[in-house]
Amino acid sequence: MSKHEEKTNVMRVLDSKKVEYTSHCYVDTPTTNGVEVAKILGQNPADVFKTLVTTSKSGTNYVFVIPVEEELDLKKAAKAAGEKSVEMLKSKELLPLTGYVHGGCSPIGMKKPFKTFIDKSAENRDIIIFSAGKIGYQVEMKLSDLSKVIDFSLDDLTI
C-alpha cells in the first residue's frame, strides 16, 4: 500500500473472512465517476461496478451492483426484487442508512444487510472491481469470492 492508502472497513471485513482481493487507491484524483476511475486504474470499465441503493413503496431498501458504464433499469430492478416499483434512494439518506457516502458505497459492510442484486454481466468477468467503502478506494475480486462475504442474486438489471 502507498503512504496515502489505508485499510477501509471493507478491506478489514475481507481480511477477517480470509477472502482474496486486490486494493486500488486513487485518492490523489478528484473523480468519483466510475468510468474515469477505471481509466485512472488502467482497468477495463466492464470490470468496474457501482453500488446503488433503492427504496420501494413499502420502504424496503435494495442494493444493486451494476457496471459503471450502464444505467440501472428501475423496472428490471423492481422485478428482480419482487416489487411493483423501486426508486433511487435520496443522496442525503444514504449515509444514515448504509454508513457510506455517495461515491464510496460498497455492497460489503453496510450498517445492516440488504437484499443485494448484481448484474448478470458479472458472471462473464474474471474479476469485478467496486468501491472499498471510501471515496478513492476500490477492491478487485472474483465474484465467487464475493459470494463468501455477502448474499446476492444475479439478474438482468441494466437498460
Side-chain angles (χ1 to χ4, degrees), residues 79-105:
K79 183 179 177 191
E83 295 279 355
K84 287 186 179 180
S85 66
V86 296
E87 61 184 37
M88 294 303 299
L89 188 72
K90 290 177 179 57
S91 212
K92 68 180 181 187
E93 297 171 7
L94 188 63
L95 180 60
L97 182 71
T98 66
Y100 292 129
V101 297
H102 181 76
C105 191

Side-chain angles (χ1 to χ4, degrees), residues 14-15 27 37-38 45 50 123 133 144:
L14 294 172
D15 289 344
V27 292
V37 169
K50 57 188 170 185
E123 280 184 304
S144 59

Side-chain angles (χ1 to χ4, degrees), residues 66-83:
I66 64 169
V68 294
E69 294 180 305
E70 302 292 333
E71 190 175 328
L72 182 64
D73 183 319
L74 292 173
K75 287 183 179 176
K76 288 180 181 178
K79 183 179 177 191
E83 295 279 355

Side-chain angles (χ1 to χ4, degrees), residues 46-159:
D47 290 336
V48 182
F49 286 66
K50 57 188 170 185
T51 305
L52 305 171
V53 182
T54 64
T55 188
S56 68
K57 291 216 184 297
S58 66
T60 304
N61 296 104
Y62 299 97
V63 175
F64 295 93
V65 182
I66 64 169
V68 294
E69 294 180 305
E70 302 292 333
E71 190 175 328
L72 182 64
D73 183 319
L74 292 173
K75 287 183 179 176
K76 288 180 181 178
K79 183 179 177 191
E83 295 279 355
K84 287 186 179 180
S85 66
V86 296
E87 61 184 37
M88 294 303 299
L89 188 72
K90 290 177 179 57
S91 212
K92 68 180 181 187
E93 297 171 7
L94 188 63
L95 180 60
L97 182 71
T98 66
Y100 292 129
V101 297
H102 181 76
C105 191
S106 178
I108 298 172
M110 291 190 181
K111 283 184 175 181
K112 64 181 189 177
F114 297 103
K115 190 151 179 150
T116 301
F117 301 87
I118 299 177
D119 189 71
K120 67 179 183 178
S121 65
E123 280 184 304
N124 305 321
R125 314 302 317 162
D126 291 333
I127 51 97
I128 63 169
I129 302 167
F130 52 90
S131 176
K134 190 171 182 180
I135 293 173
Y137 297 90
Q138 300 271 308
V139 289
E140 169 184 328
M141 62 193 316
K142 293 178 182 174
L143 191 62
S144 59
D145 286 335
L146 180 58
S147 70
K148 297 172 186 173
V149 183
I150 61 167
D151 290 326
F152 61 83
S153 302
L154 293 170
D155 221 312
D156 178 19
L157 301 172
T158 59
I159 292 175

Side-chain angles (χ1 to χ4, degrees), residues 7-62:
K7 286 271 184 182
T8 67
N9 285 337
V10 169
M11 293 174 202
R12 285 190 277 278
V13 167
L14 294 172
D15 289 344
S16 74
K17 296 194 181 271
K18 297 182 177 20
V19 173
E20 279 190 47
Y21 69 93
T22 302
S23 63
H24 298 281
C25 178
Y26 60 97
V27 292
D28 295 330
T29 61
T31 189
T32 57
N33 174 292
V35 176
E36 290 175 23
V37 169
K39 286 180 187 171
I40 289 165
L41 298 177
Q43 300 289 337
N44 179 348
D47 290 336
V48 182
F49 286 66
K50 57 188 170 185
T51 305
L52 305 171
V53 182
T54 64
T55 188
S56 68
K57 291 216 184 297
S58 66
T60 304
N61 296 104
Y62 299 97

